[in-house]
Amino acid sequence: MTRHASSETTKIEKVRQWLREERNSRGWSANRLAKEAKLSAEARGKISDIKQQTISAFENGQTKGIPEWVTFVADAFEDHPTPSVIKNITESKCTETSVKLPTQTELRKMLLGLLAPMEIGSPDSWNLKQKIASSLAQRLPIVMTQPQIFHTEI
């Protein structure tokens, strides 16, 4: 076996292990993962025909190479983080020493620059964009230090 083939095999094994561990950490069956991966693909405008048998075959080493559908599986895992990942996200806080934010005035200007090209069907759209930029510039420093305050379910 060549060095390249060996490293490719190791890479495939790591992906298999990652997939199995992530699936098990969520308590999902291969069937549930297939359904979640399909939903994640659809939410991103893609089509996937992934099935439980496909996932099981990959996990058991019956598939050569890393299948394209692995990206949909990764999206499904990202869409459904484990409780430990959620806890880490909500407990981590940005401090001024780790992230230096622009001033509120600078933030407002940057946000207004992002909002300016947006089409809003209102005769008073510029004033509306200014209000949105001001509101976001005011709240961004707070959300950076206390993200759990702004966590909402969509």
Side-chain angles (χ1 to χ4, degrees), residues 99-141:
V99 176
K100 180 74 173 135
L101 290 176
T103 66
Q104 187 172 333
T105 303
E106 291 168 330
L107 278 172
R108 184 180 175 282
K109 287 178 183 177
M110 288 188 306
L111 292 165
L112 198 52
L114 292 170
L115 292 169
M118 292 177 60
E119 293 292 327
I120 299 177
S122 168
D124 198 25
S125 68
W126 183 245
N127 286 333
L128 180 60
K129 290 174 187 179
Q130 288 179 320
K131 286 179 183 178
I132 292 170
S134 294
S135 178
L136 290 173
Q138 208 172 23
R139 291 186 172 105
L140 185 63

Side-chain angles (χ1 to χ4, degrees), residues 30-31 34-35 38 48-57 69:
N31 189 43
K35 288 178 183 176
K38 278 184 185 180
S48 175
D49 63 347
I50 187 170
K51 297 178 178 65
Q52 173 269 319
Q53 295 86 346
T54 311
I55 292 172
S56 295
W69 52 257

Side-chain angles (χ1 to χ4, degrees), residues 1-45:
M1 185 181 297
T2 66
R3 181 180 219 181
H4 176 71
S6 176
S7 68
E8 190 65 25
T9 301
T10 302
K11 184 177 175 183
I12 294 166
E13 284 306 315
K14 285 181 179 179
V15 173
R16 282 190 179 112
Q17 181 181 356
W18 163 80
L19 189 142
R20 188 178 298 110
E21 287 173 1
E22 289 292 320
R23 181 177 61 77
N24 288 334
S25 72
R26 288 164 177 77
W28 289 358
S29 64
N31 189 43
R32 166 88 187 267
L33 178 55
K35 288 178 183 176
E36 294 294 343
K38 278 184 185 180
L39 291 172
S40 291
E42 288 172 10
R44 289 158 177 83

Side-chain angles (χ1 to χ4, degrees), residues 92-101 144-145:
S92 68
K93 295 183 180 183
C94 294
T95 63
E96 284 193 34
T97 56
S98 65
V99 176
K100 180 74 173 135
L101 290 176
M144 293 300 292
T145 58

Side-chain angles (χ1 to χ4, degrees), residues 90 142-143 145-152:
T90 57
I142 298 167
V143 78
T145 58
Q146 300 170 350
Q148 66 277 13
I149 292 174
F150 293 91
H151 180 76
T152 60

